Amino acid sequence: MPYEGSDVMFRVTISGKFQGLDDAGREAVRAAAGTAFTEAGTFTHDQSVSVFTFRCQVPAEPEDGDDEAALGGR
């Protein structure tokens, strides 16, 4: 079972599509890009700025059970 200070991390990936971005919005999205799993999160997008992915890493908490820990090992 995970516990505080453990090395168990949940890696979360969220994908979506942009709608209605103007040129200024596309430039702001391009400026926010990165490529790694971190606790702060990383935001990536395709070249045309039509789809995105947000990735983050969430440390396990003491109240997370065995089922949640098993998912973190995938």
Side-chain angles (χ1 to χ4, degrees), residues 24-65:
R26 277 189 285 285
E27 288 306 314
V29 169
R30 286 185 181 110
T35 58
F37 278 101
T38 67
E39 286 188 42
T42 301
F43 179 77
T44 60
H45 57 82
D46 67 339
Q47 183 132 8
S48 66
V49 190
S50 60
V51 296
F52 67 88
T53 302
F54 178 76
R55 299 174 183 176
C56 64
Q57 169 170 294
V58 180
E61 297 290 329
E63 62 272 7
D64 290 331

Side-chain angles (χ1 to χ4, degrees), residues 3 10 14-16 18 20 24-27 31 34 45 47 51 56 63 67 69-71 74:
Y3 55 89
F10 298 105
I14 301 168
S15 299
F18 293 107
R26 277 189 285 285
E27 288 306 314
H45 57 82
Q47 183 132 8
V51 296
C56 64
E63 62 272 7
D67 290 339
L71 289 172
R74 287 186 173 173

